[in-house]
């Protein structure tokens, strides 16, 4: 027998039969569509999150803990630290599993190269520890005393107007107050320095920063403000603790918090964001699964109704030559179409949802470059195959029921 | 004279509550190839049941049905469908056309199920419609055709696959007498020209008169069997 020819015509019958009952077909499709979209969106959140987490792994900051002074919540909490000083740095160095600790001092100033002058965030760190702090160089080497490195965006900003090799240019640092920086003859003191390297982009604030030795930076600021005890009064901006291993982060964070500081780590943030996404995944996956089950029951129900309505037609078709298998096939194809079309509609809906989620996430989480959701090809294929399988499974019972319809009973119906 | 249909010892019983209705009671009957047979008898005498058993639409409670020397009472439902597809055409009192399809499409249906090649279907169906004189109405839906025209379409549909046997259950029952006569002459023409074996169930003695053979049923038994 010419088997492929058979199917083409029966498929056409199935298609025509669905087309004849457009509204009902569409209503049945919607269930499958919502179910598939829910499940795809759930998985795509997981995939997207995993991709952005592994992205962070690669940037190497996963072992860093940023320590800030504690916030005094009420009169009973006496042990909060309000200013970070040298002794705090020493205290944190005593902790187990710590690879390096650096105080960090941040201020705003100008970097002058040739006649060019750009505003930048100056970050002072302990240059003795610089190799351990998780910075990654794009070119050059780490700074020692009287030298600096630049964030990648800052470098880009300078290179636009300056064709000379940055690492060889003479450069200086200055701190002007307020409006005087706009004036041509800037009177503020210029400290000569050398640029020794450029950092890889991290997507964070470092991209716009100048990294330099903290003691030097503090000396400059103190000279400008005409004080001698800026750390005693204001404290460091924060302290960075670098753990030996990522697995130590949770324990270290807890110990640091217990001492009255506030500890933040990227790992911790990702976990927190992750738990929000877990919830979202469960929620969407739950809706999706329920919708898909309801939709599957819906397909079965619709098709059973259809066998009742079409009893006469099925009977007549059997009289004029349709075999039991032909009838079963036609119903199975109808169910397959519903699953396939519903799955495709669901996939399209998930692409739209995915786009919306990513757009909204980027509005609310500035600096986010990766997508939160991502629908890889295997997920799209899996979704279509899965929804089609759901369609076929839901169609099995009605198809057998239709195939068994007795010709005589069918013909007796008017 | 070749026997095309052999019914042996056919009984068909229906349970109606506690009583049993014997729609057919030990019927033996042979039909000769090319014969035009009328099946008459009062309402409820078992005419339709005999026709349906013969065409394999229902399996008899007892007995054997042989068509072209093949025992069809032992076939599975699916095989029975395949057998009917290639050997038997049916014509009913109530046309039983698909209202969503045109006349031509209705006639093409048996060809599709019989897996006739696509390019041949249209020609065969058009030819069948031409034989029943309806080729000009081939694109009309059943709802746009008169009763007589609809019955012509259903005759074309029964004949399109060139079956050797066509079974008609009161083909003129829904038609006025004039149209009924036309349909009948069409059937006799088919019988004479293409040597198709016809069994016609009818109330109408005028229909019976033009047939080669008249079988009278009563209470599920053959009362008379007359040949011209
Ligand atoms: N499916 C059925 N269930 C119960 N009784 C039936 C069924 N089909 C036919 N009968 C009974 O069998 C008898 C013969 O019916 P039928 O063959 O339709 O008669 P006819 O066609 O001669 O009018 C009738 O008494 C009818 O009521
Ligand atoms: Mg009858």
């Amino acid at each position: 027998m010419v088997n492929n020819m058979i199917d083409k015509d029966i498929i056409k019958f199935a298609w025509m039969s669905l087309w004849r009952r457009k509204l009902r077909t569409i209503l049945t499709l919607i269930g499958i569509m919502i179910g598939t979209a829910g499940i795809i969106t759930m998985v795509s959140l997981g995939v997207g999150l995993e991709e952005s987490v592994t992205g962070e792994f690669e940037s190497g900051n996963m072992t860093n803990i940023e320590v800030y002074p504690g916030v005094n919540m009420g009169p009973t909490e006496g042990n909060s630290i309000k200013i970070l000083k040298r002794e705090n740095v020493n205290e944190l160095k005593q902790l187990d599993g710590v690879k390096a600790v650096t105080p960090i001092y941040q201020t705003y100033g100008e970097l002058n190269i040739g006649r060019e002058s750009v505003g930048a965030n100056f970050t002072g760190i302990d240059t003795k520890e610089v190799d351990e702090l998780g910075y990654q160089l794009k070119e050059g080497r780490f700074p020692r005393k009287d030298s600096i490195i630049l964030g990648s965006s800052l470098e880009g900003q300078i290179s636009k107007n300056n064709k000379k090799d940055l690492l060889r240019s003479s450069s200086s640092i200055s701190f002007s107050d307020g409006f005087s920086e706009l004036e041509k003859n800037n009177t503020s003191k210029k400290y000569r320095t050398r640029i020794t390297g450029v950092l890889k982009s991290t997507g964070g604030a470092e991209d716009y920063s100048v990294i330099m030795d903290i003691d030097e930076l503090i000396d400059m600021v103190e000279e400008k403000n005409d004080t001698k005890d800026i750390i005693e009064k204001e404290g460091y901006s924060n302290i960075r603790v670098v753990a030996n291993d990522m697995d130590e982060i949770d324990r270290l964070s807890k110990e640091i918090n217990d001492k009255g500081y506030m500890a933040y780590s990227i790992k911790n943030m990702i976990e927190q964001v992750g738990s929000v996404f877990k919830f979202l995944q469960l929620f969407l996956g739950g809706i999706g699964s329920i919708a898909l089950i309801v939709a599957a029951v819906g397909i079965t129900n619709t098709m059973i109704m259809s066998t009742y309505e079409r009893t006469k037609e099925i009977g007549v078709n059997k009289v004029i030559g349709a075999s039991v298998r032909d009838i079963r096939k036609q119903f199975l194809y109808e169910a397959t179409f519903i699953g396939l079309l519903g799955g495709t509609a669901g996939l399209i809906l998930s692409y739209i949802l995915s786009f919306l989620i990513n757009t909204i996430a980027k509005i609310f989480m500035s600096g986010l470059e990766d997508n939160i959701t991502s629908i890889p090809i295997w997920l799209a294929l899996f979704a279509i195959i899965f929804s089609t399988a759901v369609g076929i499974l839901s169609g099995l019972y009605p198809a057998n029921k239709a195939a068994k319809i007795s010709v005589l009973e069918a013909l007796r119906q008017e | 004279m070749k026997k095309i249909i052999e019914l042996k010892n056919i009984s068909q019983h229906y349970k109606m509550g506690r009583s049993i209705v014997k729609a057919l009671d030990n019927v033996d009957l042979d039909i000769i190839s090319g014969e035009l047979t009328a099946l008459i008898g009062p309402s409820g005498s078992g005419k339709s049941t005999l026709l349906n058993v013969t065409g394999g639409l229902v399996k008899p409670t007892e007995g054997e049905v042989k068509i072209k020397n093949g025992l069809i009472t032992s076939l599975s439902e699916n095989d029975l469908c395949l057998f009917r597809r290639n050997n038997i055409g049916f014509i009913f009192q109530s046309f039983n056309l698909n209202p969503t399809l045109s006349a031509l499409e209705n006639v093409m249906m048996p060809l599709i199920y019989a897996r006739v090649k696509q390019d041949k279907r249209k020609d065969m169906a058009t030819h069948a419609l031409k034989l029943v004189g309806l080729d000009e109405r081939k694109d009309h839906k059943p709802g746009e055709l008169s009763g007589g025209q609809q019955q012509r379409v259903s005759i074309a549909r029964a004949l399109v696959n060139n079956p050797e046997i066509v079974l008609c259950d009161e083909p003129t029952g829904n038609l006025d007498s004039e149209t009924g006569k036309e349909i009948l002459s069409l059937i006799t023409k088919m019988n004479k020209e293409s040597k198709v074996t016809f069994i016609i169930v009818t109330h109408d003695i005028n229909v019976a008169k033009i047939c080669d053979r008249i079988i009278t049923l009563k209470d599920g038994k053959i009362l008379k069997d007359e040949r011209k």
Side-chain angles (χ1 to χ4, degrees), chain B residues 128-204:
Chain B
L129 280 173
K130 206 172 265 170
L131 284 182
V132 299
L134 258 185
D135 49 325
E136 279 171 10
R137 296 292 172 94
K138 63 181 165 55
D139 294 323
H140 290 237
K141 299 238 164 100
E144 300 156 2
L145 298 171
S146 73
Q149 287 170 329
Q150 288 187 53
Q151 194 60 299
R152 283 166 192 267
V153 176
S154 96
I155 291 172
R157 185 178 65 179
L159 291 168
V160 70
N161 214 6
N162 300 314
E164 287 178 52
I165 302 164
V166 174
L167 306 176
C168 319
D169 198 344
E170 309 204 25
T172 60
N174 271 0
L175 306 172
D176 60 72
S177 60
E178 204 53 40
T179 320
K181 264 183 207 161
E182 284 170 31
I183 292 297
L184 210 61
S185 62
L186 185 62
I187 290 177
T188 35
K189 192 182 104 189
M190 297 294 167
N191 173 250
K192 295 289 166 284
E193 284 177 3
S194 45
K195 298 280 176 272
V196 179
T197 309
F198 275 89
I199 302 180
I200 307 173
V201 167
T202 182
H203 277 313
D204 190 343

Side-chain angles (χ1 to χ4, degrees), chain A residues 5-212:
Chain A
M5 220 176 87
I6 304 168
D7 290 354
K8 214 175 80 192
D9 288 305
I10 306 286
I11 287 170
K12 208 174 123 198
F13 284 155
W15 180 258
M16 275 160 52
S17 165
L18 287 177
W19 186 247
R20 237 192 294 159
R21 299 166 179 81
K22 280 186 268 312
L23 182 63
R24 192 192 295 176
T25 304
I26 288 170
L27 290 178
T28 321
L29 283 181
I30 287 177
I32 293 281
M33 177 182 83
I34 292 175
T36 315
I39 291 175
I40 297 179
T41 308
M42 171 195 70
V43 181
S44 72
L45 270 174
V47 172
L49 194 68
E50 202 183 307
E51 281 172 3
S52 61
V53 168
T54 40
E56 287 295 341
F57 271 121
E58 282 155 13
S59 78
N61 288 332
M62 291 295 282
T63 52
N64 287 8
I65 303 174
E66 304 292 340
V67 180
Y68 291 88
V71 177
N72 205 340
M73 302 288 278
T76 48
E77 290 211 28
N79 66 341
S80 279
I81 285 123
K82 299 198 192 63
I83 292 182
L84 298 172
K85 299 181 196 167
R86 193 76 234 168
E87 67 219 48
N88 300 113
V89 177
N90 292 333
E91 183 186 22
L92 292 171
K93 274 183 178 163
Q94 304 305 313
L95 293 170
D96 276 347
V98 170
K99 192 180 355 174
V101 176
T102 178
I104 291 179
Y105 186 82
Q106 293 189 317
T107 188
Y108 191 81
E110 297 95 42
L111 179 64
N112 314 294
I113 293 156
R115 279 198 235 142
E116 205 64 38
S117 177
V118 290
N121 175 42
F122 284 76
T123 302
I125 53 155
D126 186 347
T127 43
K128 292 191 292 297
E129 305 274 6
V130 69
D131 298 328
E132 314 285 355
L133 298 180
Y135 291 116
Q136 294 199 344
L137 287 169
K138 190 165 75 180
E139 57 176 309
R141 53 183 173 78
F142 283 127
R144 302 296 168 207
K145 289 228 165 198
D146 24 288
S147 58
I148 60 173
I149 52 175
L150 307 182
S152 67
S153 301
L154 191 61
E155 183 234 13
Q157 210 176 328
I158 298 168
S159 302
K160 246 193 326 202
N161 301 325
N162 206 317
K163 295 283 171 273
K164 276 189 284 180
D165 184 358
L166 273 185
L167 300 189
R168 285 173 215 285
S169 308
S170 68
S171 46
S172 67
I173 300 165
S174 59
F175 303 93
S176 53
D177 19 39
F179 299 102
S180 63
E181 73 176 282
L182 293 173
E183 290 163 20
K184 260 264 152 66
N185 36 356
N186 197 336
T187 53
S188 53
K189 182 168 177 187
K190 290 187 174 168
Y191 302 91
R192 290 186 55 78
T193 189
R194 283 179 302 122
I195 301 168
T196 60
V198 178
L199 289 174
K200 277 187 189 162
S201 172
T202 60
E206 268 156 19
D207 287 356
Y208 297 92
S209 298
V210 171
I211 314 283
M212 62 185 289

